[in-house]
Amino acid sequence: MVELNINSKYTLPTGHEIPLLGYGVYQTPADVTEEVVSQSFKAGYRHVDSARAYRNEGPCSDAIKKSGIPRSEIFFTSKVHPRAMGYEETKRSIQSSFAQTGLDYIDLYLIHAPYGGKEARTGTWRALVEAQQAGQIRSLGVSNYGVHHLEELEAYIQELEKQHGEGKGGQISVGQWELHPWLPRPDIVEWCEQRGIVPEAYCPIVRGQRFGEPSLQALVKKYSKTAAQILIRWSLQKGFVPLPKSVTPSRIIENADVFDFALTPDEVASLETKEYSPCSWDPTTSHD
């Protein structure tokens, strides 16, 4: 296994790099977001995962601008609001992201959820591709897509390429899902691996709901690490980009302190279950 550190990155299909560890700001109130994102930078994170629906893109960008860290070293993600699906709505969503952040570019823009029907989903993708071609967005992706949604999008990308030429349909660079040992989603992960798509893991520590599991506690004792640290390390070793979130300074630091130990391949396998137990929403199962 390649040795990982907090500066490790994956190269996306677009050629841009994504840091292996992200800091999530889901449900982080806007009035504390700038402070906690600044704390994350001090702890070594260089990757912030926001969204239109979180209503905190602006404070994230304030932290980025005031950090003293070169913009090129920070990876910032936003997402199309699930209620802003469709070509025109998405164009407005992207414009609003830039108005609120004042950034010159956004590293990654995801479709937050596969809602609204096929026409809305494909229209949203087309708007994202146009923004990427205009230099506003560097890489594109999806969140909460089931395999059937992924295959629909792949077919649409091929359709766009037939109409406009090779490479003109956009690329799925990243997919974001709830991923952890009690929701490993092998079908989706395999689909991504076959295409070089990087899987990101939200809720990587399962909101603390499974910290008492015997298989996890055995590793907590062995490595003298917290259950959260073991789960984040598991995610990293699975090839995911975990996005832990916390507004507690000590936990922000703790969640990044996962590079001084490694699980064995058997331990990675022993944690994974065949359960399908979301602790959050699960739009992957939608069929509209």
Side-chain angles (χ1 to χ4, degrees), residues 158-245:
Q158 290 165 358
E159 188 182 312
L160 286 176
E161 290 192 333
K162 281 179 191 165
Q163 291 173 11
H164 304 293
E166 191 175 342
K168 300 293 187 182
Q171 287 174 298
I172 309 169
S173 286
V174 171
Q176 187 179 123
W177 293 274
E178 180 183 341
L179 287 166
H180 48 68
W182 300 277
L183 190 60
R185 301 191 188 277
D187 55 338
I188 289 172
V189 170
E190 183 183 355
W191 199 94
C192 290
E193 286 174 348
Q194 288 170 352
R195 292 159 177 81
I197 297 166
V198 173
E200 292 186 319
Y202 70 79
C203 296
I205 63 173
V206 208
R207 297 180 173 170
Q209 294 172 9
R210 309 300 285 256
F211 282 1
E213 295 282 340
S215 58
L216 182 54
Q217 281 301 313
L219 297 173
V220 166
K221 292 184 176 70
K222 176 179 174 180
Y223 290 105
S224 298
K225 289 287 184 179
T226 66
Q229 288 170 323
I230 297 291
L231 289 172
I232 293 165
R233 184 71 203 192
W234 178 89
S235 193
L236 289 165
Q237 289 185 222
K238 286 288 289 183
F240 306 155
V241 173
L243 305 167
K245 60 149 290 191

Coordinates of all heavy atoms in Angstrom, one line a residue, residues 158-245:
Q158 N -22.4 10.3 -23.9 CA -22.1 9.8 -25.2 C -22.9 10.4 -26.3 O -22.4 10.7 -27.4 CB -22.3 8.2 -25.2 CG -21.3 7.5 -24.4 CD -21.7 6.0 -24.1 OE1 -22.8 5.6 -24.5 NE2 -20.8 5.3 -23.4
E159 N -24.2 10.7 -26.0 CA -25.1 11.4 -26.9 C -24.5 12.8 -27.2 O -24.5 13.3 -28.4 CB -26.5 11.5 -26.2 CG -27.6 12.0 -27.1 CD -28.9 12.1 -26.3 OE1 -29.2 11.1 -25.6 OE2 -29.5 13.1 -26.4
L160 N -24.1 13.5 -26.1 CA -23.5 14.9 -26.3 C -22.3 14.8 -27.2 O -22.1 15.7 -28.0 CB -23.2 15.5 -25.0 CG -24.4 16.0 -24.1 CD1 -23.9 16.5 -22.8 CD2 -25.2 17.1 -24.8
E161 N -21.5 13.8 -27.0 CA -20.2 13.7 -27.8 C -20.6 13.4 -29.3 O -19.9 13.9 -30.1 CB -19.4 12.6 -27.2 CG -18.7 12.9 -25.9 CD -17.6 12.0 -25.4 OE1 -17.7 10.8 -25.9 OE2 -16.8 12.5 -24.7
K162 N -21.6 12.7 -29.5 CA -22.0 12.4 -30.9 C -22.4 13.7 -31.6 O -22.2 14.0 -32.8 CB -23.2 11.4 -31.0 CG -22.7 10.0 -30.8 CD -23.9 9.0 -30.9 CE -23.5 7.6 -30.5 NZ -24.6 6.7 -30.2
Q163 N -23.1 14.6 -30.8 CA -23.6 15.8 -31.3 C -22.5 16.9 -31.5 O -22.5 17.6 -32.5 CB -24.7 16.4 -30.4 CG -26.0 15.6 -30.4 CD -26.9 16.1 -29.3 OE1 -26.7 17.2 -28.7 NE2 -28.0 15.4 -29.0
H164 N -21.6 17.0 -30.5 CA -20.7 18.1 -30.4 C -19.2 17.7 -30.6 O -18.4 18.6 -30.6 CB -20.9 18.8 -29.1 CG -22.3 19.3 -28.9 ND1 -22.9 20.3 -29.6 CD2 -23.2 18.9 -28.0 CE1 -24.1 20.4 -29.2 NE2 -24.4 19.6 -28.2
G165 N -18.9 16.4 -30.6 CA -17.5 16.0 -30.7 C -17.0 15.4 -29.5 O -17.5 15.6 -28.4
E166 N -15.9 14.6 -29.7 CA -15.3 13.9 -28.5 C -14.8 14.8 -27.4 O -14.3 15.9 -27.7 CB -14.1 13.1 -29.1 CG -13.5 12.1 -28.0 CD -12.4 11.2 -28.6 OE1 -12.3 11.1 -29.8 OE2 -11.7 10.6 -27.8
G167 N -15.1 14.4 -26.2 CA -14.7 15.2 -25.0 C -15.7 16.4 -24.7 O -15.5 17.1 -23.8
K168 N -16.7 16.5 -25.5 CA -17.7 17.7 -25.4 C -18.9 17.3 -24.5 O -19.7 18.2 -24.3 CB -18.2 18.2 -26.7 CG -17.1 18.7 -27.7 CD -16.4 19.9 -27.1 CE -15.4 20.5 -28.2 NZ -14.7 21.7 -27.6
G169 N -18.9 16.1 -24.0 CA -20.0 15.7 -23.1 C -19.8 15.8 -21.7 O -20.6 15.6 -20.8
G170 N -18.5 16.2 -21.3 CA -18.1 16.2 -19.9 C -17.7 14.9 -19.4 O -17.9 13.9 -20.1
Q171 N -17.1 14.9 -18.2 CA -16.6 13.6 -17.6 C -17.1 13.6 -16.2 O -17.1 14.6 -15.5 CB -15.1 13.6 -17.6 CG -14.4 13.3 -18.9 CD -12.9 13.4 -18.7 OE1 -12.4 14.5 -18.3 NE2 -12.2 12.3 -18.9
I172 N -17.5 12.4 -15.7 CA -17.8 12.2 -14.3 C -16.5 11.9 -13.6 O -15.9 10.9 -13.8 CB -18.8 11.0 -14.1 CG1 -20.0 11.1 -15.0 CG2 -19.2 10.9 -12.6 CD1 -20.9 9.8 -14.9
S173 N -16.0 12.9 -12.9 CA -14.7 12.8 -12.2 C -14.8 12.2 -10.8 O -14.0 11.5 -10.3 CB -14.0 14.1 -12.1 OG -13.5 14.5 -13.4
V174 N -15.9 12.6 -10.1 CA -16.1 12.2 -8.7 C -17.6 11.8 -8.5 O -18.5 12.3 -9.1 CB -15.8 13.5 -7.8 CG1 -16.2 13.2 -6.4 CG2 -14.3 13.8 -7.9
G175 N -17.8 10.9 -7.6 CA -19.1 10.5 -7.1 C -19.1 10.5 -5.6 O -18.2 10.0 -5.0
Q176 N -20.1 11.1 -5.0 CA -20.2 11.2 -3.6 C -21.4 10.5 -3.0 O -22.5 10.7 -3.5 CB -20.2 12.7 -3.2 CG -20.1 12.9 -1.7 CD -20.1 14.4 -1.3 OE1 -21.0 14.8 -0.5 NE2 -19.2 15.2 -1.8
W177 N -21.1 9.6 -2.0 CA -22.2 8.8 -1.4 C -22.0 8.7 0.1 O -20.8 8.8 0.5 CB -22.2 7.4 -2.0 CG -22.6 7.4 -3.5 CD1 -23.9 7.3 -4.0 CD2 -21.8 7.4 -4.6 NE1 -23.9 7.3 -5.3 CE2 -22.6 7.3 -5.8 CE3 -20.4 7.4 -4.8 CZ2 -22.1 7.4 -7.0 CZ3 -19.9 7.5 -6.1 CH2 -20.7 7.4 -7.2
E178 N -23.0 8.3 0.8 CA -22.8 7.8 2.1 C -22.1 6.4 2.0 O -22.6 5.5 1.4 CB -24.1 7.6 2.9 CG -23.9 7.1 4.3 CD -25.2 6.8 5.1 OE1 -26.3 7.4 4.7 OE2 -25.2 6.0 6.0
L179 N -20.9 6.3 2.5 CA -20.1 5.1 2.4 C -19.4 4.8 3.7 O -18.7 5.7 4.3 CB -19.0 5.2 1.3 CG -19.4 5.2 -0.1 CD1 -18.3 5.7 -1.0 CD2 -19.9 3.8 -0.6
H180 N -19.6 3.6 4.2 CA -18.9 3.2 5.5 C -19.1 1.7 5.6 O -19.8 1.1 4.7 CB -19.5 3.9 6.7 CG -21.0 4.0 6.7 ND1 -21.8 2.8 7.0 CD2 -21.9 5.0 6.6 CE1 -23.1 3.1 7.0 NE2 -23.2 4.4 6.7
P181 N -18.6 1.0 6.6 CA -18.6 -0.5 6.6 C -20.1 -1.0 6.7 O -20.2 -2.2 6.3 CB -17.9 -0.8 7.9 CG -16.9 0.3 8.1 CD -17.6 1.5 7.6
W182 N -21.0 -0.2 7.1 CA -22.4 -0.7 7.1 C -23.2 -0.2 5.9 O -24.4 -0.4 5.9 CB -23.0 -0.3 8.5 CG -22.2 -0.9 9.6 CD1 -22.3 -2.1 10.1 CD2 -21.1 -0.2 10.3 NE1 -21.4 -2.3 11.1 CE2 -20.6 -1.2 11.2 CE3 -20.5 1.0 10.2 CZ2 -19.5 -0.9 12.0 CZ3 -19.4 1.3 11.0 CH2 -18.9 0.3 11.9
L183 N -22.6 0.4 5.0 CA -23.2 0.8 3.7 C -22.0 0.9 2.7 O -21.7 2.0 2.2 CB -23.9 2.1 3.8 CG -24.8 2.5 2.7 CD1 -25.9 1.5 2.4 CD2 -25.4 3.9 2.9
P184 N -21.4 -0.3 2.3 CA -20.2 -0.2 1.4 C -20.6 0.0 -0.1 O -19.6 0.2 -0.8 CB -19.5 -1.5 1.7 CG -20.6 -2.5 2.2 CD -21.6 -1.6 2.9
R185 N -21.8 -0.2 -0.5 CA -22.2 0.0 -1.8 C -21.3 -0.6 -2.9 O -20.8 0.1 -3.8 CB -22.4 1.5 -2.1 CG -23.4 2.2 -1.2 CD -23.6 3.6 -1.7 NE -24.4 4.5 -0.9 CZ -25.7 4.5 -0.8 NH1 -26.4 3.7 -1.5 NH2 -26.3 5.3 0.1
P186 N -21.1 -1.9 -2.9 CA -20.1 -2.5 -3.8 C -20.4 -2.3 -5.3 O -19.5 -2.2 -6.1 CB -20.1 -4.0 -3.4 CG -21.3 -4.2 -2.6 CD -21.6 -2.9 -1.9
D187 N -21.7 -2.3 -5.6 CA -22.1 -2.1 -7.0 C -21.7 -0.7 -7.5 O -21.1 -0.6 -8.6 CB -23.6 -2.3 -7.2 CG -24.5 -1.5 -6.3 OD1 -24.0 -1.0 -5.2 OD2 -25.7 -1.2 -6.6
I188 N -21.9 0.3 -6.7 CA -21.6 1.7 -7.1 C -20.1 1.8 -7.2 O -19.6 2.4 -8.1 CB -22.3 2.7 -6.2 CG1 -23.8 2.7 -6.4 CG2 -21.7 4.1 -6.4 CD1 -24.6 3.5 -5.5
V189 N -19.4 1.3 -6.1 CA -18.0 1.5 -6.1 C -17.3 0.8 -7.2 O -16.4 1.4 -7.9 CB -17.4 1.0 -4.7 CG1 -15.9 0.9 -4.7 CG2 -17.9 1.9 -3.6
E190 N -17.8 -0.4 -7.6 CA -17.2 -1.1 -8.7 C -17.4 -0.3 -10.0 O -16.5 -0.2 -10.9 CB -17.8 -2.5 -8.8 CG -17.2 -3.3 -9.9 CD -17.8 -4.7 -10.1 OE1 -18.7 -5.1 -9.2 OE2 -17.5 -5.4 -11.0
W191 N -18.6 0.2 -10.2 CA -18.9 1.0 -11.4 C -17.9 2.2 -11.5 O -17.4 2.5 -12.6 CB -20.4 1.5 -11.3 CG -21.0 2.0 -12.6 CD1 -21.8 1.2 -13.4 CD2 -20.9 3.3 -13.2 NE1 -22.2 1.9 -14.5 CE2 -21.6 3.2 -14.4 CE3 -20.3 4.5 -12.8 CZ2 -21.8 4.3 -15.2 CZ3 -20.4 5.6 -13.7 CH2 -21.1 5.5 -14.9
C192 N -17.7 2.8 -10.4 CA -16.7 4.0 -10.4 C -15.3 3.5 -10.7 O -14.6 4.1 -11.5 CB -16.7 4.7 -9.1 SG -18.3 5.6 -8.8
E193 N -14.9 2.4 -10.1 CA -13.5 1.9 -10.2 C -13.2 1.6 -11.7 O -12.1 1.8 -12.2 CB -13.2 0.7 -9.3 CG -13.1 1.1 -7.9 CD -13.0 -0.1 -7.0 OE1 -13.3 -1.3 -7.4 OE2 -12.6 0.0 -5.8
Q194 N -14.2 1.0 -12.4 CA -14.0 0.6 -13.8 C -13.8 1.8 -14.7 O -13.3 1.7 -15.8 CB -15.2 -0.2 -14.2 CG -15.3 -1.6 -13.6 CD -16.6 -2.3 -13.9 OE1 -17.6 -1.7 -14.4 NE2 -16.7 -3.6 -13.6
R195 N -14.2 3.0 -14.2 CA -14.2 4.2 -15.0 C -13.2 5.3 -14.5 O -13.2 6.4 -15.0 CB -15.6 4.8 -15.2 CG -16.5 3.9 -16.0 CD -18.0 4.2 -15.7 NE -18.9 3.3 -16.5 CZ -19.2 2.1 -16.2 NH1 -18.6 1.5 -15.1 NH2 -20.0 1.4 -17.0
G196 N -12.5 5.0 -13.5 CA -11.5 5.9 -12.9 C -12.2 7.1 -12.2 O -11.6 8.2 -12.0
I197 N -13.4 6.9 -11.7 CA -14.1 7.9 -11.0 C -13.8 7.8 -9.5 O -13.8 6.7 -8.9 CB -15.7 7.7 -11.2 CG1 -16.0 7.9 -12.7 CG2 -16.5 8.7 -10.3 CD1 -17.4 7.5 -13.0
V198 N -13.5 8.9 -8.9 CA -13.1 8.9 -7.4 C -14.3 8.9 -6.6 O -15.2 9.8 -6.7 CB -12.2 10.1 -7.1 CG1 -11.9 10.2 -5.6 CG2 -10.9 10.0 -7.9
P199 N -14.5 7.9 -5.7 CA -15.7 7.9 -4.8 C -15.3 8.7 -3.5 O -14.3 8.5 -2.8 CB -15.9 6.4 -4.4 CG -14.8 5.7 -5.1 CD -13.7 6.6 -5.5
E200 N -16.2 9.6 -3.1 CA -16.1 10.4 -1.9 C -17.1 9.8 -0.9 O -18.2 9.4 -1.3 CB -16.4 11.8 -2.1 CG -15.4 12.6 -2.9 CD -15.7 14.1 -3.0 OE1 -16.9 14.5 -3.1 OE2 -14.7 14.9 -2.9
A201 N -16.8 9.8 0.4 CA -17.6 9.2 1.4 C -18.1 10.3 2.4 O -17.3 10.8 3.2 CB -16.8 8.2 2.2
Y202 N -19.4 10.6 2.3 CA -20.0 11.4 3.4 C -20.5 10.5 4.5 O -20.7 9.3 4.3 CB -21.0 12.4 2.9 CG -22.3 11.9 2.4 CD1 -23.3 11.6 3.3 CD2 -22.6 11.9 1.1 CE1 -24.6 11.1 2.8 CE2 -23.8 11.4 0.6 CZ -24.8 11.1 1.5 OH -26.0 10.7 1.0
C203 N -20.7 11.0 5.7 CA -21.0 10.2 6.9 C -20.0 9.1 7.1 O -20.4 7.9 7.4 CB -22.4 9.7 6.8 SG -23.7 10.9 6.8
P204 N -18.7 9.3 6.9 CA -17.8 8.2 7.0 C -17.7 7.6 8.4 O -17.3 6.5 8.6 CB -16.4 8.8 6.6 CG -16.6 10.3 7.0 CD -18.0 10.6 6.7
I205 N -18.1 8.4 9.5 CA -18.1 7.9 10.8 C -19.5 7.6 11.3 O -19.7 7.4 12.5 CB -17.3 8.9 11.8 CG1 -18.0 10.2 11.9 CG2 -15.9 9.1 11.3 CD1 -17.5 11.1 13.0
V206 N -20.4 7.5 10.4 CA -21.8 7.0 10.6 C -22.5 7.8 11.8 O -23.3 7.2 12.5 CB -21.8 5.5 11.0 CG1 -23.1 4.8 10.5 CG2 -20.6 4.7 10.3
R207 N -22.1 9.1 11.9 CA -22.7 9.9 12.9 C -22.5 9.4 14.3 O -23.4 9.6 15.2 CB -24.2 10.2 12.6 CG -24.4 10.9 11.3 CD -25.8 11.2 11.0 NE -25.9 12.1 9.8 CZ -27.1 12.4 9.1 NH1 -28.2 11.8 9.5 NH2 -27.0 13.2 8.1
G208 N -21.5 8.5 14.5 CA -21.2 8.0 15.8 C -22.1 6.8 16.2 O -22.0 6.3 17.3
Q209 N -23.0 6.4 15.3 CA -24.1 5.4 15.6 C -23.5 4.0 15.8 O -24.2 3.2 16.4 CB -25.2 5.5 14.6 CG -26.0 6.8 14.6 CD -26.9 6.8 13.4 OE1 -27.2 5.8 12.7 NE2 -27.5 8.0 13.2
R210 N -22.4 3.7 15.3 CA -21.9 2.3 15.3 C -20.5 2.2 16.1 O -19.8 1.2 15.9 CB -21.7 1.8 13.9 CG -22.9 1.9 13.0 CD -24.1 1.2 13.4 NE -24.1 -0.2 13.3 CZ -24.8 -0.9 12.3 NH1 -25.5 -0.3 11.4 NH2 -24.7 -2.2 12.3
F211 N -20.2 3.2 16.9 CA -18.9 3.2 17.6 C -18.8 2.1 18.5 O -17.7 1.7 18.8 CB -18.8 4.5 18.4 CG -18.4 5.7 17.5 CD1 -18.2 5.6 16.1 CD2 -18.1 7.0 18.1 CE1 -17.8 6.7 15.4 CE2 -17.8 8.1 17.3 CZ -17.6 7.9 16.0
G212 N -19.9 1.5 19.0 CA -19.8 0.4 19.9 C -19.6 -1.0 19.3 O -19.5 -2.0 20.0
E213 N -19.6 -1.1 18.0 CA -19.5 -2.4 17.3 C -18.2 -3.1 17.7 O -17.1 -2.5 17.7 CB -19.5 -2.2 15.8 CG -20.8 -1.6 15.2 CD -21.9 -2.6 15.1 OE1 -21.6 -3.8 15.1 OE2 -23.0 -2.2 15.0
P214 N -18.3 -4.4 18.1 CA -17.1 -5.1 18.6 C -16.0 -5.1 17.6 O -14.8 -5.0 18.0 CB -17.7 -6.5 18.8 CG -19.2 -6.4 19.0 CD -19.6 -5.2 18.2
S215 N -16.3 -5.3 16.3 CA -15.2 -5.3 15.3 C -14.4 -4.0 15.3 O -13.2 -3.9 15.1 CB -15.7 -5.6 13.9 OG -16.7 -4.6 13.5
L216 N -15.1 -2.9 15.5 CA -14.5 -1.6 15.5 C -13.8 -1.3 16.9 O -12.6 -0.9 16.9 CB -15.6 -0.5 15.3 CG -15.2 1.0 15.3 CD1 -14.1 1.2 14.3 CD2 -16.4 1.8 15.0
Q217 N -14.4 -1.7 17.9 CA -13.8 -1.5 19.3 C -12.4 -2.3 19.4 O -11.5 -1.9 20.1 CB -14.7 -1.9 20.4 CG -15.8 -0.9 20.7 CD -15.1 0.5 21.1 OE1 -14.2 0.5 21.9 NE2 -15.6 1.5 20.5
A218 N -12.4 -3.5 18.7 CA -11.1 -4.3 18.8 C -10.0 -3.5 18.2 O -8.8 -3.5 18.7 CB -11.3 -5.6 18.0
L219 N -10.3 -2.7 17.1 CA -9.2 -1.9 16.4 C -8.9 -0.7 17.2 O -7.8 -0.2 17.2 CB -9.7 -1.6 15.0 CG -9.8 -2.9 14.1 CD1 -10.4 -2.5 12.8 CD2 -8.5 -3.6 13.9
V220 N -9.9 -0.1 17.9 CA -9.7 1.1 18.7 C -8.7 0.7 19.8 O -7.8 1.5 20.1 CB -11.1 1.5 19.4 CG1 -10.8 2.5 20.5 CG2 -12.0 2.1 18.3
K221 N -8.9 -0.5 20.4 CA -7.9 -0.9 21.5 C -6.5 -1.2 20.9 O -5.5 -0.8 21.5 CB -8.5 -2.1 22.2 CG -9.7 -1.9 23.0 CD -10.2 -3.1 23.7 CE -11.4 -2.8 24.6 NZ -12.6 -2.6 23.9
K222 N -6.5 -1.9 19.8 CA -5.2 -2.3 19.2 C -4.3 -1.1 18.8 O -3.2 -1.0 19.1 CB -5.4 -3.1 17.9 CG -4.1 -3.5 17.2 CD -4.3 -4.4 16.0 CE -3.0 -4.6 15.3 NZ -3.1 -5.4 14.1
Y223 N -5.0 0.0 18.2 CA -4.2 1.1 17.7 C -4.2 2.3 18.6 O -3.6 3.3 18.2 CB -4.7 1.4 16.3 CG -4.4 0.4 15.2 CD1 -5.4 -0.5 14.7 CD2 -3.1 0.2 14.8 CE1 -5.1 -1.4 13.8 CE2 -2.8 -0.7 13.8 CZ -3.8 -1.6 13.3 OH -3.5 -2.5 12.4
S224 N -4.9 2.3 19.7 CA -5.1 3.4 20.6 C -5.6 4.6 19.8 O -5.0 5.7 19.9 CB -3.8 3.7 21.3 OG -3.4 2.6 22.1
K225 N -6.6 4.4 19.0 CA -7.2 5.5 18.2 C -8.7 5.5 18.5 O -9.2 4.5 19.1 CB -7.0 5.2 16.7 CG -5.6 5.4 16.2 CD -5.2 6.9 16.1 CE -3.8 7.2 15.6 NZ -3.5 8.6 15.5
T226 N -9.3 6.6 18.2 CA -10.8 6.7 18.4 C -11.5 5.9 17.3 O -10.9 5.6 16.3 CB -11.3 8.1 18.4 OG1 -11.1 8.7 17.0 CG2 -10.5 9.0 19.4
A227 N -12.8 5.6 17.6 CA -13.6 4.9 16.6 C -13.7 5.7 15.3 O -13.6 5.2 14.2 CB -15.0 4.6 17.2
A228 N -13.8 7.0 15.5 CA -13.9 7.9 14.3 C -12.6 7.8 13.5 O -12.6 7.7 12.2 CB -14.1 9.4 14.7
Q229 N -11.5 7.8 14.1 CA -10.2 7.7 13.4 C -10.0 6.4 12.6 O -9.6 6.3 11.5 CB -9.0 7.9 14.3 CG -8.9 9.4 14.8 CD -7.9 9.5 15.9 OE1 -7.8 8.6 16.8 NE2 -7.1 10.6 16.0
I230 N -10.5 5.3 13.3 CA -10.4 4.0 12.6 C -11.3 4.0 11.4 O -10.9 3.5 10.3 CB -10.9 2.9 13.6 CG1 -9.9 2.8 14.8 CG2 -11.0 1.5 12.8 CD1 -8.6 2.3 14.5
L231 N -12.5 4.6 11.5 CA -13.4 4.6 10.3 C -12.9 5.5 9.2 O -13.1 5.2 8.0 CB -14.8 5.0 10.8 CG -15.6 4.0 11.6 CD1 -16.8 4.6 12.2 CD2 -15.9 2.7 10.8
I232 N -12.3 6.6 9.5 CA -11.7 7.5 8.5 C -10.6 6.8 7.8 O -10.4 6.8 6.6 CB -11.3 8.8 9.1 CG1 -12.6 9.6 9.5 CG2 -10.5 9.7 8.1 CD1 -12.3 10.8 10.5
R233 N -9.8 6.1 8.6 CA -8.6 5.3 8.0 C -9.1 4.2 7.1 O -8.6 4.0 6.0 CB -7.8 4.8 9.2 CG -6.5 4.0 8.7 CD -5.5 5.0 8.1 NE -4.6 4.3 7.2 CZ -3.5 4.9 6.7 NH1 -3.1 6.1 7.1 NH2 -2.7 4.2 5.8
W234 N -10.2 3.5 7.5 CA -10.8 2.5 6.7 C -11.2 3.1 5.4 O -11.0 2.5 4.3 CB -12.0 1.9 7.4 CG -12.8 0.8 6.7 CD1 -12.5 -0.5 6.7 CD2 -13.9 1.0 5.8 NE1 -13.4 -1.2 5.9 CE2 -14.2 -0.3 5.3 CE3 -14.6 2.1 5.4 CZ2 -15.3 -0.4 4.4 CZ3 -15.7 2.0 4.5 CH2 -16.0 0.7 4.0
S235 N -11.9 4.2 5.4 CA -12.3 4.9 4.2 C -11.2 5.2 3.3 O -11.2 4.9 2.1 CB -13.1 6.2 4.6 OG -13.8 6.7 3.5
L236 N -10.1 5.7 3.8 CA -8.9 6.1 3.0 C -8.3 4.8 2.4 O -8.0 4.8 1.2 CB -7.9 6.7 3.9 CG -8.2 8.2 4.4 CD1 -7.2 8.5 5.5 CD2 -8.0 9.2 3.2
Q237 N -8.3 3.7 3.1 CA -7.7 2.5 2.6 C -8.6 1.8 1.6 O -8.1 1.0 0.8 CB -7.2 1.6 3.8 CG -6.0 2.2 4.5 CD -5.4 1.2 5.6 OE1 -5.1 1.7 6.6 NE2 -5.3 -0.1 5.3
K238 N -9.8 2.1 1.6 CA -10.7 1.6 0.6 C -10.6 2.4 -0.7 O -11.2 2.0 -1.7 CB -12.2 1.7 1.1 CG -12.6 0.6 2.2 CD -12.7 -0.8 1.6 CE -13.9 -0.9 0.7 NZ -14.1 -2.3 0.2
G239 N -9.9 3.4 -0.7 CA -9.7 4.2 -1.9 C -10.7 5.4 -2.0 O -10.9 6.0 -3.0
F240 N -11.4 5.6 -0.9 CA -12.4 6.7 -0.9 C -11.8 8.0 -0.4 O -10.7 8.0 0.1 CB -13.6 6.4 0.1 CG -14.3 5.0 -0.1 CD1 -14.9 4.4 0.9 CD2 -14.3 4.4 -1.4 CE1 -15.6 3.2 0.7 CE2 -14.9 3.2 -1.6 CZ -15.5 2.6 -0.5
V241 N -12.5 9.1 -0.6 CA -12.1 10.4 -0.1 C -13.1 10.7 1.0 O -14.2 11.1 0.7 CB -12.1 11.5 -1.2 CG1 -11.9 12.9 -0.6 CG2 -11.1 11.2 -2.2
P242 N -12.8 10.5 2.3 CA -13.7 10.7 3.4 C -13.9 12.2 3.6 O -13.0 13.0 3.5 CB -13.1 10.0 4.6 CG -11.6 9.9 4.3 CD -11.5 9.9 2.8
L243 N -15.1 12.6 4.0 CA -15.5 13.9 4.3 C -16.1 14.1 5.7 O -17.2 14.4 5.9 CB -16.5 14.4 3.3 CG -16.2 14.2 1.8 CD1 -17.4 14.4 0.9 CD2 -15.0 15.2 1.4
P244 N -15.3 13.8 6.7 CA -15.8 14.0 8.1 C -16.1 15.4 8.4 O -15.5 16.4 7.9 CB -14.6 13.5 9.0 CG -13.4 13.8 8.1 CD -13.8 13.5 6.7
K245 N -17.2 15.6 9.2 CA -17.6 17.0 9.6 C -17.6 17.1 11.1 O -18.0 16.1 11.8 CB -18.9 17.4 9.0 CG -20.1 16.5 9.3 CD -21.4 17.3 9.3 CE -21.4 18.3 10.5 NZ -22.7 18.9 10.7

